[in-house]
Amino acid sequence: MSLQVRSLASGSSGNAFLVRTTAGVFLIDAGLSARALERVLRQHSVEPSALTAIVVSHEHHDHAQGAGPLARRFQVPIICTPGTARALEPALQGVEVRTLHVDGTTVGDVDVWSFALPHDAAEPAGILLRHQGWTVGIALDFGHIQPHIISALQEADLVVIEANHDRERLLATAYPWSTKHRIMGDYGHLSNLQAAQLIEAIGQDGKRRDVWLGHLSEKANENPQGVIKIVRNYLSMQELPPVKLAIAERGKPSASWHSDLALQQSDLFGIC
Ligand SMILES: [Zn+2]
Ligand SMILES: [Zn+2]
């Protein structure tokens, strides 16, 4: 009995995560083209028609571009908030949409819950997936930390958040000021420092967990190793329970997590 998660891609060029349970297969975000999603799913031995559901966090292109076409072609239901469903019309025509409300929904052997995120989309959501005592929490695009986000993610054994940018690097890019302002704003994206502060806040409950950092900006952030180093340095100065960090990389499958291994390894790692 297990819960498995695989990062298929994460970043402004597309986000997608594969979640397998005992009896289900879920795609969390579909921010690649439908063709690219088909290809990467099959690379992971998943026939798109076998997907239990596609959960879409919000309507932005890098999270939703492949959702409608893939769902329609393979008759897979989409789960999203009512606001996201409205924002994605008409791309969802002919697709079964199950709306995600605050009291959650059960799909097969998984409970799917959402919580609101401060981001410049219609009704963006963080996602909690619960299966047989394990929980995965995915909250990628948001501009500032709110108490309910901390408490929602504290439930998770695997937390997936963004470490989008390094503030100094962002300011040094050639982006127009309006773009920089949007990214750094309260409804934009988390910086590396904010990601570290969020991990610190989540860790106040003393629970051991894995954390993936995703949605790294190509132009306004360090490379994956650099981001890990920045966050690890910050966390090493705090009194925290062990946190295992990994990067959900841009444009390719990378981090993977398995509840059985998390259990076995829970005594082995410190902040690593
Ligand atoms: Zn977004
Ligand atoms: Zn995004």
Side-chain angles (χ1 to χ4, degrees):
M1 303 302 109
S2 63
L3 182 59
Q4 298 175 48
V5 188
R6 174 81 156 156
S7 171
L8 301 179
S10 186
S12 57
S13 55
N15 295 273
F17 297 86
L18 180 63
V19 177
R20 295 182 215 237
T21 63
T22 307
V25 189
F26 295 81
L27 192 60
I28 313 301
D29 279 344
L32 306 173
S33 70
R35 189 178 292 263
L37 287 167
E38 279 181 48
R39 191 166 53 240
V40 72
L41 286 170
R42 291 196 174 106
Q43 280 169 5
H44 289 81
S45 306
V46 175
E47 263 308 305
S49 58
L51 285 172
T52 310
I54 301 168
V55 184
V56 180
S57 63
H58 64 295
E59 72 274 18
H60 287 166
H61 195 67
D62 58 320
H63 298 260
Q65 66 159 307
L70 194 72
R72 198 162 28 251
R73 193 173 308 157
F74 295 100
Q75 303 197 329
V76 177
I78 283 181
I79 301 174
C80 62
T81 61
T84 296
R86 277 193 299 277
L88 281 173
E89 282 291 345
L92 299 187
Q93 273 181 9
V95 173
E96 180 191 348
V97 178
R98 300 184 193 170
T99 49
L100 191 52
H101 296 281
V102 282
D103 50 354
T105 183
T106 300
V107 186
D109 57 1
V110 171
D111 292 325
V112 185
W113 290 72
S114 70
F115 50 98
L117 292 178
H119 186 57
D120 53 1
E123 193 180 358
I127 308 292
L128 290 176
L129 294 165
R130 300 186 181 123
H131 175 70
Q132 296 184 345
W134 294 96
T135 301
V136 174
I138 299 177
L140 279 180
D141 295 22
F142 61 104
H144 65 284
I145 301 167
Q146 296 175 325
H148 78 275
I149 299 172
I150 297 167
S151 36
L153 292 175
Q154 278 180 326
E155 192 196 322
D157 303 285
L158 169 64
V159 168
V160 184
I161 56 172
E162 68 173 344
N164 177 258
H165 59 274
D166 172 86
R167 198 179 158 89
E168 302 307 317
R169 280 182 178 251
L170 175 63
L171 289 169
T173 63
Y175 292 153
W177 171 246
S178 58
T179 303
K180 295 176 185 176
H181 193 256
R182 179 202 161 243
I183 293 171
M184 290 190 302
D186 276 353
Y187 292 83
H189 292 272
L190 291 190
S191 68
N192 297 335
L193 177 61
Q194 287 172 304
Q197 289 168 336
L198 176 57
I199 297 168
E200 178 191 9
I202 295 168
Q204 297 307 311
D205 65 356
K207 177 173 163 170
R208 291 162 187 256
R209 55 173 62 83
D210 289 47
V211 176
W212 292 356
L213 303 168
H215 219 305
L216 273 59
S217 168
E218 189 170 12
K219 295 200 172 92
N221 211 342
E222 306 271 348
N223 61 29
Q225 292 74 26
V227 172
I228 287 267
K229 194 171 167 193
I230 289 167
V231 173
R232 191 187 289 149
N233 284 348
Y234 178 91
L235 294 177
S236 67
M237 294 184 284
Q238 322 299 323
E239 295 261 327
L240 282 177
V243 176
K244 189 175 181 189
L245 296 173
I247 297 286
E249 294 197 38
R250 184 173 39 247
K252 61 180 181 187
S254 54
S256 65
W257 182 91
H258 194 303
S259 56
D260 294 352
L261 297 176
L263 199 61
Q264 289 166 16
Q265 291 177 353
S266 60
D267 287 329
L268 296 180
F269 55 73
I271 294 171
C272 50

